[in-house]
Amino acid sequence: MTTAFANALMNQYGSEKTPFLFVIDFEMEKPFVVRLDDLKNENIRCAIHDGIIDFEFTGPSQQSVKSVIIEKEVIDFPTYQKAFDLVKNNLLAGNSFLTNLTVETPVSLNASLDLIFDKANAKYKLYFKDLFLCFSPETFVQIDPDGKISSFPMKGTIDAEIPGAKEIIMKDEKELFEHTTIVDLIRNDLSKVCSKVWVEDFRYIENISKEGGGELLQVSSKVSGLLPSDWQHHIGDIISSMLPAGSISGAPKPKTLEIIREAEKITYHKNHKRGYYTGIFGIFDGKQLSSGVMIRYIENTPSGLVYKSGGGITARSSAGNEYQEMIQKIYVPIL
């Protein structure tokens, strides 16, 4: 399915008020759109519970496991630093203000991807044709029936068990700069399709549970805008105009995407394309729309499972801290 065809189909279903699922990869090369009534014919399981849409298509229940165990082969630090230095040099040269660098980590699990789908707890869950599983805490955009659109960029992660974790993350100048940059980028993205844009809530904390106990603290903001009254007729055009998501690319987007492609040749094993990782998926239920960024992501490759993770890098970032954050994000949020 081409991007143009996917956009046209989303516009059509929206104008007909036909509920549908959409899945769009980071490079926007393999979009997928299907009516919710036709999901039974696809090897797809999905769930969205984000306060706007409450939807589950889960298929038969799976045999449970007591806990999910992840064994990982993390990239060595010198290799990571080579990619980090490439990004940092571009930042220092003024080619980017913020670049999201991601890594592919081979993993082994004691459970299948569809079983982990049942076990994981997240706002946005998608098991897609045995190609990948994501269990994401991050909203891309929500649109209410009246055309109010909201985006919720996440930037800033810390282990909640660190003494004073909340104060540390909220007072960190690097994290503040990174978060402010992304909020500004999201404002610009929304302004492409909205008559009015505003920051509704700036830097609040969300708690995310992980397997084996413990929590992560994640810093988010809420940026909103007002779409035209006929927004449902233009869903494909609206969504595609804001991709890729700013929180997992960087700013300014065009040059930053070039830097990402070059740097991730180092951190990806065979194919340096992100694919569906850091793309988006969502549901239009006939009245409103909700979508998530595909992070917290496990992919089934010909050479085995890989977990993709990363973080935003600014001129103030240190390789050691970013390396640890990348590893920290390799987890499954267990019920």
Side-chain angles (χ1 to χ4, degrees):
M1 186 179 291
T2 66
T3 299
F5 182 72
N7 287 352
L9 204 54
M10 292 167 71
N11 291 342
Q12 176 189 329
Y13 288 161
S15 64
E16 298 169 348
K17 295 183 169 49
T18 299
F20 66 90
L21 166 75
F22 58 97
V23 185
I24 305 175
D25 59 302
F26 180 74
E27 288 84 13
M28 292 179 281
E29 295 175 345
K30 298 177 287 185
F32 177 84
V33 181
V34 63
R35 296 188 309 168
L36 294 190
D37 285 347
D38 295 331
L39 267 180
K40 59 183 179 294
N41 302 319
E42 305 286 347
N43 184 19
I44 294 172
R45 303 171 69 195
C46 62
I48 295 181
H49 301 290
D50 66 350
I52 299 296
I53 286 180
D54 195 29
F55 176 86
E56 281 195 23
F57 184 82
T58 59
S61 348
Q62 303 293 308
Q63 182 179 357
S64 186
V65 292
K66 290 183 178 179
S67 62
V68 176
I69 300 170
I70 301 180
E71 295 182 359
K72 46 204 172 193
E73 301 173 27
V74 180
I75 187 173
D76 62 89
F77 181 69
T79 302
Y80 177 83
Q81 182 152 34
K82 183 178 178 183
F84 176 90
D85 288 345
L86 188 155
V87 170
K88 187 76 173 276
N89 288 338
N90 274 279
L91 290 162
L92 293 174
N95 296 325
S96 175
F97 304 113
L98 171 66
T99 300
N100 192 270
L101 175 64
T102 71
V103 175
E104 189 177 69
T105 301
V107 296
S108 59
L109 300 162
N110 66 329
S112 63
L113 295 186
D114 56 344
L115 195 155
I116 294 174
F117 175 94
D118 286 333
K119 193 76 174 172
N121 179 35
K123 288 182 184 178
Y124 306 92
K125 296 197 296 183
L126 179 65
Y127 168 82
F128 190 76
K129 300 175 181 284
D130 204 37
L131 295 175
F132 68 83
L133 166 68
C134 82
F135 29 86
S136 174
E138 181 171 359
T139 301
F140 175 54
V141 295
Q142 297 172 336
I143 310 177
D144 72 17
D146 295 327
K148 179 184 176 183
I149 183 171
S150 297
S151 184
F152 301 79
M154 280 185 163
K155 277 297 165 193
T157 305
I158 191 170
D159 192 323
E161 295 180 5
I162 295 174
K166 181 177 179 179
E167 290 73 21
I168 291 171
I169 194 74
M170 294 300 280
K171 291 181 179 178
D172 188 299
E173 291 186 3
K174 176 262 177 187
E175 296 291 353
L176 174 60
F177 176 81
E178 180 181 340
H179 197 98
T180 304
T181 301
I182 286 302
V183 167
D184 192 50
L185 177 60
I186 299 301
R187 287 175 59 206
N188 289 336
D189 283 348
L190 289 181
S191 69
K192 297 175 185 176
V193 293
C194 293
S195 58
K196 178 183 178 183
V197 178
W198 66 95
V199 178
E200 195 159 323
D201 198 352
F202 183 67
R203 296 190 85 213
Y204 58 88
I205 293 286
E206 294 185 277
N207 295 60
I208 301 170
S209 300
K210 57 182 181 177
E211 83 288 344
E215 290 185 326
L216 297 177
L217 302 185
Q218 186 85 57
V219 184
S220 299
S221 285
K222 181 178 182 180
V223 187
S224 299
L226 189 61
L227 293 168
S229 59
D230 65 345
W231 69 268
Q232 294 170 333
H233 296 250
H234 306 284
I235 292 175
D237 301 325
I238 291 167
I239 295 297
S240 64
S241 72
M242 294 187 289
L243 293 176
S247 65
I248 42 69
S249 52
K253 270 190 190 178
K255 182 60 181 179
T256 300
L257 291 174
E258 290 180 21
I259 298 167
I260 286 171
R261 283 191 288 270
E262 189 64 26
E264 291 181 358
K265 289 178 182 178
I266 301 168
T267 59
Y268 280 47
H269 290 79
K270 291 184 178 179
N271 182 357
H272 67 272
K273 288 186 177 182
R274 290 188 181 180
Y276 287 103
Y277 171 57
T278 65
I280 64 162
F281 86 94
I283 284 173
F284 172 67
D285 68 359
K287 295 181 179 180
Q288 55 201 359
L289 180 146
S290 192
S291 59
V293 181
M294 290 192 286
I295 57 174
R296 313 301 189 260
Y297 174 103
I298 306 172
E299 185 172 318
N300 193 4
T301 75
S303 55
L305 298 175
V306 295
Y307 197 119
K308 295 181 178 179
S309 63
I313 297 173
T314 73
R316 303 181 184 188
S317 298
S318 74
N321 289 344
E322 297 298 336
Y323 180 72
Q324 290 303 318
E325 180 176 332
M326 175 272 297
I327 296 171
Q328 191 177 63
K329 288 177 178 174
I330 303 173
Y331 73 93
V332 177
I334 294 303
L335 287 169

